[in-house]
Short mmCIF file of all heavy atoms in Angstrom, two decimals:
data_model
loop_
_atom_site.label_atom_id
_atom_site.label_comp_id
_atom_site.label_asym_id
_atom_site.label_seq_id
_atom_site.Cartn_x
_atom_site.Cartn_y
_atom_site.Cartn_z
N ALA A 40 -0.76 17.94 -10.52
CA ALA A 40 0.65 17.75 -10.10
C ALA A 40 1.41 17.26 -11.36
O ALA A 40 2.71 17.38 -11.26
CB ALA A 40 0.61 16.76 -9.00
N ALA A 41 0.90 16.89 -12.36
CA ALA A 41 1.63 16.34 -13.56
C ALA A 41 1.96 17.47 -14.44
O ALA A 41 2.95 17.31 -15.34
CB ALA A 41 0.83 15.24 -14.33
N VAL A 42 1.44 18.65 -14.37
CA VAL A 42 1.61 19.74 -15.31
C VAL A 42 3.10 20.20 -15.42
O VAL A 42 3.59 20.40 -16.38
CB VAL A 42 0.62 21.01 -14.86
CG1 VAL A 42 1.00 22.20 -15.77
CG2 VAL A 42 -0.78 20.56 -15.24
N PRO A 43 3.80 20.29 -14.11
CA PRO A 43 5.18 20.73 -14.32
C PRO A 43 6.06 19.77 -14.96
O PRO A 43 7.21 20.00 -15.16
CB PRO A 43 5.62 21.03 -12.85
CG PRO A 43 4.39 20.84 -12.00
CD PRO A 43 3.31 20.13 -12.81
N GLY A 44 5.63 18.42 -15.06
CA GLY A 44 6.51 17.44 -15.68
C GLY A 44 6.92 16.40 -14.54
O GLY A 44 6.25 16.43 -13.43
N ASP A 45 8.01 15.76 -14.76
CA ASP A 45 8.46 14.69 -13.89
C ASP A 45 8.93 15.38 -12.46
O ASP A 45 9.85 16.16 -12.45
CB ASP A 45 9.63 14.00 -14.43
CG ASP A 45 9.97 12.71 -13.58
OD1 ASP A 45 9.54 12.65 -12.49
OD2 ASP A 45 10.85 11.92 -14.04
N LEU A 46 8.20 15.03 -11.40
CA LEU A 46 8.61 15.71 -10.11
C LEU A 46 9.35 14.75 -9.25
O LEU A 46 9.53 15.13 -8.05
CB LEU A 46 7.35 16.18 -9.43
CG LEU A 46 6.53 17.29 -10.01
CD1 LEU A 46 5.42 17.67 -9.26
CD2 LEU A 46 7.53 18.58 -10.21
N ARG A 47 9.83 13.67 -9.78
CA ARG A 47 10.62 12.73 -8.76
C ARG A 47 11.87 13.44 -8.41
O ARG A 47 12.59 14.03 -9.00
CB ARG A 47 11.01 11.42 -9.55
CG ARG A 47 9.82 10.35 -9.52
CD ARG A 47 10.13 9.21 -10.25
NE ARG A 47 10.36 9.58 -11.72
CZ ARG A 47 10.62 8.81 -12.80
NH1 ARG A 47 10.97 7.54 -12.51
NH2 ARG A 47 10.69 9.27 -13.98
N ASP A 48 11.92 13.58 -7.00
CA ASP A 48 13.03 14.21 -6.31
C ASP A 48 13.06 15.61 -6.55
O ASP A 48 14.12 16.32 -6.32
CB ASP A 48 14.41 13.54 -6.61
CG ASP A 48 14.40 12.21 -5.92
OD1 ASP A 48 14.00 12.18 -4.68
OD2 ASP A 48 15.04 11.30 -6.36
N ALA A 49 12.17 16.27 -7.21
CA ALA A 49 12.15 17.71 -7.49
C ALA A 49 11.64 18.49 -6.33
O ALA A 49 10.96 18.01 -5.52
CB ALA A 49 11.22 17.99 -8.65
N GLU A 50 12.13 19.70 -6.08
CA GLU A 50 11.64 20.54 -5.05
C GLU A 50 10.45 21.30 -5.49
O GLU A 50 10.43 21.91 -6.65
CB GLU A 50 12.78 21.50 -4.58
CG GLU A 50 13.84 20.79 -3.84
CD GLU A 50 14.47 21.67 -2.77
OE1 GLU A 50 13.85 21.55 -1.60
OE2 GLU A 50 15.27 22.37 -3.01
N VAL A 51 9.44 21.45 -4.70
CA VAL A 51 8.26 22.14 -4.96
C VAL A 51 7.91 23.11 -3.82
O VAL A 51 8.02 22.66 -2.62
CB VAL A 51 7.06 21.20 -5.26
CG1 VAL A 51 5.66 21.93 -5.35
CG2 VAL A 51 7.21 20.35 -6.58
N PHE A 52 7.56 24.36 -4.22
CA PHE A 52 7.03 25.24 -3.19
C PHE A 52 5.58 25.40 -3.45
O PHE A 52 5.12 25.69 -4.57
CB PHE A 52 7.77 26.63 -3.47
CG PHE A 52 7.29 27.70 -2.59
CD1 PHE A 52 7.30 27.48 -1.13
CD2 PHE A 52 6.72 28.91 -2.98
CE1 PHE A 52 6.79 28.51 -0.33
CE2 PHE A 52 6.36 29.84 -2.19
CZ PHE A 52 6.25 29.68 -0.87
N GLU A 53 4.72 25.05 -2.43
CA GLU A 53 3.27 25.19 -2.57
C GLU A 53 2.79 26.26 -1.58
O GLU A 53 3.23 26.36 -0.40
CB GLU A 53 2.66 23.88 -2.06
CG GLU A 53 1.13 23.90 -2.40
CD GLU A 53 0.34 22.75 -1.84
OE1 GLU A 53 0.97 21.79 -1.16
OE2 GLU A 53 -0.94 22.71 -2.06
N VAL A 54 1.91 27.14 -2.04
CA VAL A 54 1.34 28.15 -1.29
C VAL A 54 -0.17 27.75 -0.94
O VAL A 54 -0.90 27.30 -1.76
CB VAL A 54 1.31 29.52 -2.01
CG1 VAL A 54 0.41 30.61 -1.17
CG2 VAL A 54 2.63 30.05 -2.11
N GLY A 55 -0.49 27.64 0.25
CA GLY A 55 -1.81 27.37 0.75
C GLY A 55 -2.28 25.92 0.58
O GLY A 55 -3.22 25.64 -0.20
N PRO A 56 -1.54 24.96 1.25
CA PRO A 56 -1.87 23.58 1.10
C PRO A 56 -3.05 23.24 1.80
O PRO A 56 -3.81 22.29 1.38
CB PRO A 56 -0.70 22.86 1.94
CG PRO A 56 -0.18 23.85 2.79
CD PRO A 56 -0.34 25.18 2.24
N GLY A 57 -3.69 24.07 2.62
CA GLY A 57 -4.94 23.83 3.26
C GLY A 57 -4.95 22.41 3.92
O GLY A 57 -4.02 22.00 4.69
N PRO A 58 -5.99 21.51 3.72
CA PRO A 58 -6.00 20.13 4.23
C PRO A 58 -5.05 19.29 3.68
O PRO A 58 -4.78 18.15 4.00
CB PRO A 58 -7.44 19.78 4.02
CG PRO A 58 -7.94 20.53 2.87
CD PRO A 58 -7.20 21.88 2.97
N GLY A 59 -4.46 19.73 2.39
CA GLY A 59 -3.34 18.86 1.89
C GLY A 59 -3.69 17.96 0.60
O GLY A 59 -2.89 17.19 0.21
N GLY A 60 -4.74 18.37 -0.05
CA GLY A 60 -5.15 17.58 -1.21
C GLY A 60 -4.02 17.67 -2.39
O GLY A 60 -3.59 16.61 -2.74
N LEU A 61 -3.68 18.90 -2.68
CA LEU A 61 -2.68 19.03 -3.84
C LEU A 61 -1.29 18.64 -3.24
O LEU A 61 -0.62 17.95 -4.05
CB LEU A 61 -2.68 20.59 -4.24
CG LEU A 61 -1.69 20.92 -5.33
CD1 LEU A 61 -1.87 19.97 -6.61
CD2 LEU A 61 -1.82 22.28 -5.77
N THR A 62 -1.07 18.82 -1.99
CA THR A 62 0.22 18.33 -1.40
C THR A 62 0.32 16.77 -1.61
O THR A 62 1.45 16.34 -1.87
CB THR A 62 0.19 18.82 0.05
OG1 THR A 62 -0.46 20.09 0.20
CG2 THR A 62 1.60 18.81 0.66
N ARG A 63 -0.76 16.12 -1.30
CA ARG A 63 -0.71 14.69 -1.39
C ARG A 63 -0.28 14.30 -2.79
O ARG A 63 0.52 13.36 -2.98
CB ARG A 63 -2.07 14.16 -1.13
CG ARG A 63 -2.50 14.13 0.29
CD ARG A 63 -3.95 13.56 0.35
NE ARG A 63 -4.38 13.44 1.76
CZ ARG A 63 -5.26 12.61 2.30
NH1 ARG A 63 -5.86 11.80 1.44
NH2 ARG A 63 -5.63 12.64 3.54
N ALA A 64 -0.92 14.92 -3.80
CA ALA A 64 -0.60 14.67 -5.24
C ALA A 64 0.85 14.88 -5.53
O ALA A 64 1.39 14.17 -6.27
CB ALA A 64 -1.61 15.25 -6.13
N LEU A 65 1.35 15.97 -5.06
CA LEU A 65 2.71 16.43 -5.37
C LEU A 65 3.68 15.30 -4.71
O LEU A 65 4.65 14.88 -5.25
CB LEU A 65 3.02 17.75 -4.75
CG LEU A 65 2.33 18.90 -5.43
CD1 LEU A 65 2.36 20.17 -4.68
CD2 LEU A 65 2.83 19.06 -6.92
N LEU A 66 3.38 14.95 -3.45
CA LEU A 66 4.12 14.00 -2.74
C LEU A 66 4.13 12.65 -3.42
O LEU A 66 5.13 11.93 -3.61
CB LEU A 66 3.77 13.79 -1.28
CG LEU A 66 4.02 15.06 -0.39
CD1 LEU A 66 3.27 14.95 0.91
CD2 LEU A 66 5.51 15.08 -0.09
N ALA A 67 2.94 12.17 -3.80
CA ALA A 67 2.78 11.01 -4.50
C ALA A 67 3.55 10.93 -5.89
O ALA A 67 4.01 9.95 -6.32
CB ALA A 67 1.32 10.70 -4.86
N ALA A 68 3.70 12.17 -6.47
CA ALA A 68 4.46 12.24 -7.74
C ALA A 68 6.04 12.24 -7.52
O ALA A 68 6.78 12.38 -8.41
CB ALA A 68 4.14 13.63 -8.44
N GLY A 69 6.36 12.16 -6.15
CA GLY A 69 7.75 12.02 -5.93
C GLY A 69 8.47 13.36 -5.46
O GLY A 69 9.76 13.31 -5.31
N ALA A 70 7.66 14.49 -5.38
CA ALA A 70 8.31 15.71 -5.11
C ALA A 70 8.60 15.83 -3.58
O ALA A 70 8.08 15.12 -2.69
CB ALA A 70 7.33 16.83 -5.39
N ARG A 71 9.65 16.74 -3.30
CA ARG A 71 9.87 17.12 -1.94
C ARG A 71 9.24 18.65 -1.82
O ARG A 71 9.49 19.46 -2.60
CB ARG A 71 11.39 17.30 -1.73
CG ARG A 71 11.98 15.86 -1.49
CD ARG A 71 13.49 15.97 -1.38
NE ARG A 71 14.13 16.25 -2.62
CZ ARG A 71 15.11 17.08 -2.82
NH1 ARG A 71 15.62 17.77 -1.78
NH2 ARG A 71 15.61 17.37 -4.02
N VAL A 72 8.20 18.68 -0.90
CA VAL A 72 7.49 19.84 -0.85
C VAL A 72 7.69 20.80 0.35
O VAL A 72 7.81 20.27 1.40
CB VAL A 72 5.91 19.41 -0.87
CG1 VAL A 72 4.98 20.68 -0.76
CG2 VAL A 72 5.57 18.46 -2.00
N THR A 73 7.80 22.02 0.04
CA THR A 73 7.89 22.97 1.23
C THR A 73 6.66 23.88 1.02
O THR A 73 6.33 24.37 -0.15
CB THR A 73 9.06 23.98 1.08
OG1 THR A 73 10.17 23.19 1.22
CG2 THR A 73 9.05 25.01 2.17
N ALA A 74 5.69 23.88 2.02
CA ALA A 74 4.37 24.52 1.90
C ALA A 74 4.13 25.59 2.93
O ALA A 74 4.57 25.41 4.09
CB ALA A 74 3.30 23.42 2.05
N VAL A 75 3.64 26.67 2.53
CA VAL A 75 3.40 27.95 3.49
C VAL A 75 1.89 27.91 3.58
O VAL A 75 1.18 28.17 2.59
CB VAL A 75 3.94 29.16 2.95
CG1 VAL A 75 3.53 30.39 3.82
CG2 VAL A 75 5.35 29.04 2.75
N GLU A 76 1.31 27.81 4.75
CA GLU A 76 -0.09 27.89 5.04
C GLU A 76 -0.30 28.93 6.18
O GLU A 76 0.25 28.80 7.15
CB GLU A 76 -0.58 26.50 5.43
CG GLU A 76 -2.05 26.42 5.85
CD GLU A 76 -3.05 27.04 4.88
OE1 GLU A 76 -3.11 26.50 3.75
OE2 GLU A 76 -3.83 28.01 5.25
N ARG A 77 -1.32 29.69 5.87
CA ARG A 77 -1.61 30.90 6.80
C ARG A 77 -2.51 30.36 8.02
O ARG A 77 -2.52 30.87 9.08
CB ARG A 77 -2.24 31.99 6.07
CG ARG A 77 -2.35 33.26 6.89
CD ARG A 77 -2.81 34.33 5.94
NE ARG A 77 -3.28 35.42 6.81
CZ ARG A 77 -4.08 36.46 6.25
NH1 ARG A 77 -4.09 36.60 4.96
NH2 ARG A 77 -4.35 37.43 7.09
N ASP A 78 -3.44 29.37 7.55
CA ASP A 78 -4.47 28.97 8.57
C ASP A 78 -3.97 27.97 9.49
O ASP A 78 -3.64 26.74 9.23
CB ASP A 78 -5.65 28.35 7.74
CG ASP A 78 -6.72 27.94 8.63
OD1 ASP A 78 -6.71 28.16 9.79
OD2 ASP A 78 -7.90 27.64 8.06
N ARG A 79 -3.77 28.38 10.74
CA ARG A 79 -3.25 27.54 11.86
C ARG A 79 -3.97 26.22 11.99
O ARG A 79 -3.40 25.25 12.30
CB ARG A 79 -3.31 28.45 13.14
CG ARG A 79 -2.89 27.67 14.28
CD ARG A 79 -2.63 28.61 15.47
NE ARG A 79 -1.50 29.44 15.13
CZ ARG A 79 -1.06 30.50 15.98
NH1 ARG A 79 -1.76 30.82 17.01
NH2 ARG A 79 0.00 31.13 15.52
N ARG A 80 -5.38 26.29 11.65
CA ARG A 80 -6.04 25.00 11.90
C ARG A 80 -5.60 23.97 10.99
O ARG A 80 -5.84 22.74 11.27
CB ARG A 80 -7.56 25.26 11.47
CG ARG A 80 -8.20 26.32 12.43
CD ARG A 80 -9.64 26.59 11.84
NE ARG A 80 -9.59 26.86 10.42
CZ ARG A 80 -10.69 26.80 9.59
NH1 ARG A 80 -11.89 26.31 10.02
NH2 ARG A 80 -10.56 27.05 8.36
#
Side-chain angles (χ1 to χ4, degrees):
V42 170
D45 186 354
L46 289 183
R47 273 173 297 177
D48 284 327
E50 290 218 85
V51 169
F52 178 56
E53 184 188 3
V54 172
L61 182 55
T62 322
R63 288 181 179 201
L65 294 166
L66 291 165
R71 285 175 287 136
V72 180
T73 298
V75 178
E76 173 56 60
R77 190 172 162 192
D78 185 352
R79 174 164 297 173
R80 298 175 308 160

